[in-house]
Every structure is written in structure tokens, then in C-alpha cells.
Amino acid sequence: MGWAIALHGGAGDIPLSLPPERRQPREAALRHCLQVGVDALKAQKSPLDVVELVVRELENNPHFNAGRGSVLTTEGTVEMEACIMDGKTKKCGAVSGLTTVVNAISLARVVMEKTPHIYLAFDGAEKFAREQGLETVDSSNFITPENIERLKQAKEANRVQVDYTQPVEKETPTVHGDSQIGTVGCVAVDNDGNLAAATSTGGLVNKMVGRIGDTPIIGAGTYANNLCAVSATGKGEAIIRGTVARDVSALMEFKGLSLKEAAAYVVEECVPRGTAGLVAVSAKGELTMAFNTTGMFRAAATEDGYTEIAIWPSC
Amino acid sequence: MGWAIALHGGAGDIAPEIPPERRQPREAALRHCLQIGVDALKAQKSPLDVVELVVRELENNPHFNAGKGSVLTTEGTVEMEACIMDGKTKKCGAVSGLTTVVNAISLARVVMEKTPHIYLAFDGAEKFAREQGLETVDPSHFITPANIERLKQFKEANRVQIDYAQPVEKDVKKEIPTGDGDSQIGTVGCVAVDNDGNLAAATSTGGFVNKMVGRIGDTPIIGAGTYANNLCAVSATGRGEAVMRGTVARDVAALMEFKGLSLKDAAACVVEERVPRDNVGLVAVSAKGEVTMPFNTTGMYRASATEDGYAEFGIWPSVENWVL
């Protein structure tokens, strides 16, 4: 069987013409984070530890829409959210509306492990983070010049951007939102079939203050049970409506589909074209990375030596 | 076929010896709200309108844990949340962390219909409510003496209560806590289907007694406490964390869709086999006009009616029925 890991940095209308100076830092980041995850699995860390670790790396990287580099609300602020789930116990933790917490995914984990609740948001979540001694910084630390520009462009275009954001040169807008920047996520399984999923994001560019997306919604953007672990990305509202992460596992459980078939089905039939992507692993060590968008920043590896880092559909 | 409607006022450890003065107002409220829903369906209102209407009534009634009568956070405040979903389009709206909005379910509907989003929470949701002209009042309006007392008892017992709360007479002997929490008070919800198979679900709550500030439960989580598609509409109640982990509302629909189970079998399967005992109840209707109201707790305040004239009310497993 063996361990397996997959991670993503966002699905969306990633143009094939993406210039190298925009593509390479993200590719390098994915490669680096994949290695971090692989090393942790080799060191026998639990999948729960692994996905948290990898997502923290992605949050700290300003090229992705999570933690530092989060896209901005309509008021130019950041409101970050994240979710983590342990497949074996189905324990989970979620947070929304964070403005100063450096690693939202870690706060989600603390909610899961140290409270009788699953989900804390906004002021209550921020207060809890301080009580628990999590690292917090001034909100300005998460805001990058690129995202200030992205917000400006989105306001001009008067549109809400979907998950992956194009670089900030004026590109011709295409269907369903170009100019997107990616939510991040990671799923992992160990040799014993223990599964975990984690997702983190700044949300949608120009979103209304207080808007919550799919990432912290158990069964939408994040889900894990004893069959599989799933992390989704794309247009949050479509993923919520489509209960994407839960549906992948429900198709396996109730209809007997394989991981690959279930993921393909959800992405092709249960959400509108151009709105969603996901990474998933199964208890048997299989992995799949499906998306119905132009591209999805992704990376994966399995114990037998398979490795993949990609953006567009592989031929 | 025909229309069908079901509503609940919370599942939990409802003591069989609950005194009449506590039981009767809730019974009367459910019968009243059922009638409102039935009249609306007879008047050909859409299921979406019907469930919103019924939940507004339940929110306004101080005997249920939603709107006025919401249970209190650990700081003695209210934070209300709600969710509404239209089965045909799968459009949905959800809100959390409301402190002044009189009818959370109506704000959820406005989020669904007037924004590109599904879910708004806390300050952003409150601000949006004002911009949209929804009715708001001082937070003290929602706080009842019964709930102040409940919070006090809970802090003393140092436990987090689940959904349905027992009454607060001090002279009643201290109930021995059973299962995962007695002294609960109910989330409210309603599901409805019309003659054409259009479905809708709505749920509203104040959450858990003594919950942490900022805690969100299952009610506003699409697929957990609330869900509707073209097969069925579901509204769940009980211990929020169990409903979320069990993706209860979506699982009922998924069992029907992917495994071909009937509404009744799917709902029973979820409640009996897929969530811990003493934690969950739900009401659901199908596109074919069927109704089911299973629960694995001591009781669940519930009522339902179908176009053929059958109406039912219950708290514990036994029911009372009559002809409409």
C-alpha cells in the first residue's frame, strides 16, 4: 500500500500564457511543500501533522491565497479561514474571519483539540488564538502589493474573482473569472490507512466583509473519513452547493466508486464547469487530482516513488 | 402526490415528566406554526416562502432556541444563526453571529437572493442587514429570564448543553444528566414540498448554552443542519458538532441518490447508524410528498401535515394525529 500525499495551490482560469516570473515561484513552492510533506511521512508523522505542516508552509508563502498573500475583502482587509479534519476519528476544526493569526490552519487544529466545538469565527476566534498563545501579527503583514492591485482591478471590473488569481498585468477577462489566486490544501494518508485533510484561504477577491466560503465548511471544501481525504478549491459558492468533499467520499461509500471515479464524477457532473478542483487520497494509498478549470496548481507523491508537479491538465 | 410540511422545535433529552406549563406553550406553538405552513401551502405559496414564514414564527416564539428565546453564549450574549436552501436551484443562504436581527432566517434569504455569496457572518452580516433594511432591535430583546437561568445552571454544572433545554424551575429536582447533555432547548426548522415536487429547508438557532463566543454550529452549514436538492429537503437538530461530523442533511439525500434508499430508510439510517446515540433528530420531506421525522434522542418537538389531510404532533416517540 504505502503513504500518499497531494497538495494544491488553487484551481481556476490559469492562463497558458502565464509568464515565467509568475509561474516559477509557485512551482518552486509546490515542490518545496511537497518535499516537506514527503519527509514528514517518511519520518512517520501522522497524516494530521503532515497536512497541518504542509498547509502552514503554503500559508507562509505570499504567492498563494492563504495566510500571507491572502486576497482582500471589499474593504481592503484580510479575513482568513481554514479547516482540518482527521479521517479516523472524524474530529475536525474550522476557523473563519481571522485578521491577525499567522497560521489559520493551526488555530483550526487547536479548536479541534482544545474546545468542545468544531468551528470558531471572527472576534471569538481571534480571542481564542491569543488565549492559546498562537502567533499573531499586525494585519498588514498578510497584505501584499499584488493583492492591493488585484482588489483595485476587481473593483474596476466590478466582479467577484474566483479562486485562482492571474498576475496583475491587465489580462483579457475570460469566462467565470480570470485573475484568481489559489486557496491551498493538502491531503495525506499513511501506511495504516489513516487519512487527513487541511485547507486554508483568504477567500474571494473583493468579497463582502463577513463572507464565508467553502474552505471551513465540513463536507464542502474539506472532508476526511476512513475512506478518503479531500481538499477542494475554486468558486466557494459552487463547492458549498455541490457539497464537493463529502460527495467524493459518499460516492465511494454508497455507490462503490473508486476514488478516481468519484472525484471525476463530482468535478464533471456536480459543479458547473470552470468552478472547482480537488485533491484526494484514499485509505488504500491511491491519489487523484481532478479539476474542471483551466488549471490547478498541484503536487503529489506516493511511497512507490511517483511524483507530480503540474498546473494544467497533463496529457 | 400532494404537498407536505414538517417542522421541529429541537431534539434532545426532553424529560417525560416535563411539567404541563412548560410543555403546553411549545405544543401550542408547533400546532400554530404547522397551521400557518399548511395555510400557506394551500394558498400555493412556494416551499421557499413557506419554510421562511414558519421559521420566522418559531424565531419569534420565546419558547424555542432561535430568535427571541435564543440560548446564551458563555458571556451572556446571543449569537444567532440560520440557513435556508431551495431544492430546485440549490441556491442557499446562511448567516451566523447575529446579535440584533429579529429574523435570522430572513437575512439568510436576503444573502441568498441579493449577494453573490452564500454565507455572511458577524459584523459583516449585521452591517448587511442594516443596509437591506431588515428589522433589528437591541440585543436584550432576544434574552429571556429562562435563558439567563439556564446559563447560570450550566456554568454551575460546567457543561455545554445540547440542543433542547429542560425548563428552569429551581424547585424541580436536579435532573441527573444523561447521555450527552440534558437541559437543552431546541433549534427550530421546517421543510416543505409542493405539488410539483419543489423542495425547501430552513433552520434557525441560538446555538449551545454556554457556547464560546464565535462558536458556529451545524445549522448554517450546508449539508450538516440544512440541505435541499431535487430529491428531498432536510433540517436537523441536536448536538451541532455531531451533526457536522455526520454531514447529516446531505447524507440523507446522498443515501437516496447514490444508494436508492427511500426517504424514510435514508433518514433512519443516518439517525440510527451514522451519528452517536442521543445526539440527533431531523425532519425531512421528499419530492414525492413523503414525510419522516426520526430522532435518536429522548424526544424531538415536531409536527407534520400532508395534503391528504393527515396531521401529526409529537414530543416523544409516540404521536398524536388528527385530520386537517
Side-chain angles (χ1 to χ4, degrees):
Chain A
M1 212 202 76
W3 53 256
I5 180 172
L7 55 120
H8 69 76
D13 192 18
I14 308 167
L16 291 158
S17 52
L18 184 70
E21 65 269 19
R22 295 291 172 182
R23 197 185 78 223
Q24 283 162 0
R26 289 187 179 111
E27 264 179 23
L30 288 172
R31 195 165 284 121
H32 166 73
C33 293
L34 181 66
Q35 197 58 53
V36 166
V38 165
D39 291 345
L41 281 164
K42 285 179 171 171
Q44 317 265 349
K45 291 218 171 295
S46 71
L48 197 64
D49 285 343
V50 172
V51 300
E52 184 192 354
L53 192 59
V54 169
V55 168
R56 283 176 65 97
E57 285 291 316
L58 290 162
E59 282 171 338
N60 295 342
N61 188 301
H63 291 106
F64 298 104
N65 175 15
R68 181 144 202 271
S70 282
V71 297
L72 307 180
T73 69
T74 196
E75 288 181 9
T77 52
V78 294
E79 287 180 0
M80 301 171 286
E81 48 196 16
C83 182
I84 191 164
M85 189 160 185
D86 174 40
K88 186 161 75 176
T89 59
K90 276 165 79 176
K91 292 189 78 174
C92 36
V95 288
S96 283
L98 303 182
T99 51
T100 69
V101 178
V102 174
N103 291 104
I105 196 64
S106 295
L107 183 62
R109 184 157 182 191
V110 176
V111 171
M112 175 174 92
E113 294 179 339
K114 301 224 172 138
T115 76
H117 302 317
I118 284 176
Y119 193 1
L120 287 187
F122 292 88
D123 292 352
E126 284 273 320
K127 173 166 171 274
F128 180 65
R130 282 165 179 64
E131 285 167 8
Q132 293 293 315
L134 266 79
E135 196 186 352
T136 57
V137 293
D138 186 85
S139 294
S140 57
N141 274 279
F142 303 100
I143 299 178
T144 58
E146 277 189 7
N147 276 306
I148 293 173
E149 183 58 34
R150 253 185 213 103
L151 178 63
K152 188 157 154 263
Q153 287 183 3
K155 282 179 180 280
E156 277 160 16
N158 198 24
R159 270 180 310 114
V160 172
Q161 300 201 15
V162 168
D163 212 72
Y164 167 68
T165 310
Q166 280 200 25
V168 295
E169 308 88 322
K170 309 247 192 269
E171 302 273 349
T172 320
T174 58
V175 181
H176 261 157
D178 50 305
S179 306
Q180 307 134 358
I181 185 176
T183 287
V184 302
C186 182
V187 292
V189 61
D190 66 14
N191 248 317
D192 299 319
N194 296 310
L195 292 141
T199 319
S200 182
T201 189
L204 240 70
V205 174
N206 202 25
K207 64 182 178 177
M208 290 173 72
V209 167
R211 176 264 190 186
I212 290 173
D214 66 291
T215 291
I217 308 296
I218 302 289
T222 311
Y223 187 78
N225 62 6
N226 59 0
L227 284 181
C228 67
V230 185
S231 172
T233 164
K235 198 170 173 79
E237 282 71 15
I239 294 167
I240 291 175
R241 243 182 239 123
T243 49
V244 165
R246 174 58 185 141
D247 274 26
V248 173
S249 63
L251 280 160
M252 291 177 73
E253 187 177 353
F254 302 150
K255 219 168 176 174
L257 296 194
S258 70
L259 179 78
K260 198 175 154 80
E261 289 167 341
Y265 183 86
V266 170
V267 151
E268 285 160 29
E269 316 272 346
C270 301
V271 283
R273 187 149 193 69
T275 61
L278 63 92
V279 296
V281 289
S282 74
K284 299 188 211 165
E286 302 155 310
L287 74 86
T288 187
M289 302 193 285
F291 51 98
N292 68 17
T293 47
T294 307
M296 180 171 76
F297 280 109
R298 61 199 187 282
T302 51
E303 191 169 6
D304 61 10
Y306 170 82
T307 315
E308 178 182 340
I309 295 166
I311 305 175
W312 298 283
S314 30
C315 302
Chain B
M1 213 202 74
W3 52 255
I5 179 172
L7 54 125
H8 69 77
D13 191 16
I14 307 166
E17 61 271 14
I18 185 176
E21 64 270 21
R22 293 291 171 181
R23 195 188 80 224
Q24 282 163 359
R26 290 188 180 115
E27 245 186 65
L30 285 174
R31 286 172 199 272
H32 167 72
C33 293
L34 180 68
Q35 196 59 55
I36 286 184
V38 165
D39 291 345
L41 281 165
K42 285 178 169 172
Q44 317 263 347
K45 289 221 172 291
S46 72
L48 197 64
D49 285 343
V50 172
V51 301
E52 183 191 356
L53 191 61
V54 170
V55 168
R56 282 176 65 96
E57 284 292 315
L58 290 162
E59 283 171 339
N60 295 342
N61 188 301
H63 290 106
F64 298 103
N65 175 16
K68 187 165 205 251
S70 281
V71 297
L72 307 181
T73 70
T74 195
E75 289 182 9
T77 53
V78 296
E79 287 181 358
M80 301 172 286
E81 48 196 18
C83 182
I84 191 164
M85 190 159 184
D86 174 39
K88 186 161 78 176
T89 58
K90 277 164 81 176
K91 292 189 76 174
C92 36
V95 288
S96 284
L98 303 182
T99 51
T100 71
V101 178
V102 174
N103 292 104
I105 196 63
S106 296
L107 183 61
R109 185 158 183 191
V110 176
V111 171
M112 174 175 92
E113 294 180 338
K114 302 228 172 133
T115 75
H117 302 318
I118 283 176
Y119 193 2
L120 286 187
F122 291 89
D123 292 352
E126 284 273 319
K127 174 167 171 271
F128 180 63
R130 283 163 178 65
E131 284 167 10
Q132 294 292 317
L134 266 78
E135 195 187 350
T136 56
V137 292
D138 187 87
S140 59
H141 161 88
F142 303 100
I143 299 177
T144 58
N147 276 305
I148 293 174
E149 184 58 32
R150 239 177 229 110
L151 179 63
K152 187 155 155 271
Q153 287 182 2
F154 254 73
K155 282 180 179 283
E156 277 160 17
N158 197 26
R159 270 179 313 114
V160 173
Q161 295 201 21
I162 98 175
D163 214 71
Y164 166 71
Q166 282 202 19
V168 293
E169 305 88 329
K170 288 210 191 359
D171 55 356
V172 169
K173 62 184 181 332
K174 296 251 190 281
E175 301 284 342
I176 301 154
T178 59
D180 253 337
D182 52 307
S183 304
Q184 308 134 357
I185 185 177
T187 286
V188 303
C190 182
V191 292
V193 61
D194 66 15
N195 246 319
D196 298 319
N198 295 310
L199 292 140
T203 319
S204 183
T205 189
F208 258 34
V209 175
N210 201 29
K211 65 181 179 179
M212 291 174 70
V213 167
R215 176 266 189 184
I216 290 174
D218 66 289
T219 292
I221 307 297
I222 300 290
T226 311
Y227 188 76
N229 63 6
N230 59 1
L231 284 182
C232 66
V234 185
S235 172
T237 165
R239 197 179 179 91
E241 282 71 13
V243 175
M244 288 161 91
R245 242 180 240 123
T247 50
V248 165
R250 174 58 184 142
D251 273 26
V252 172
L255 281 162
M256 293 179 72
E257 187 177 351
F258 301 149
K259 223 170 172 173
L261 298 193
S262 69
L263 179 79
K264 197 175 155 77
D265 288 348
C269 176
V270 170
V271 158
E272 288 162 26
E273 301 171 33
R274 305 183 65 88
V275 284
R277 196 158 181 62
D278 290 319
N279 270 237
V280 175
L282 65 91
V283 296
V285 290
S286 72
K288 299 189 210 166
E290 302 155 310
V291 178
T292 187
M293 302 192 287
F295 50 97
N296 68 17
T297 47
T298 306
M300 180 172 76
Y301 279 108
R302 62 200 188 281
S304 69
T306 46
E307 192 169 5
D308 59 10
Y310 176 82
E312 176 179 311
F313 169 82
I315 305 177
W316 299 284
S318 60
V319 295
E320 186 196 316
N321 54 52
W322 66 97
V323 176
L324 279 173

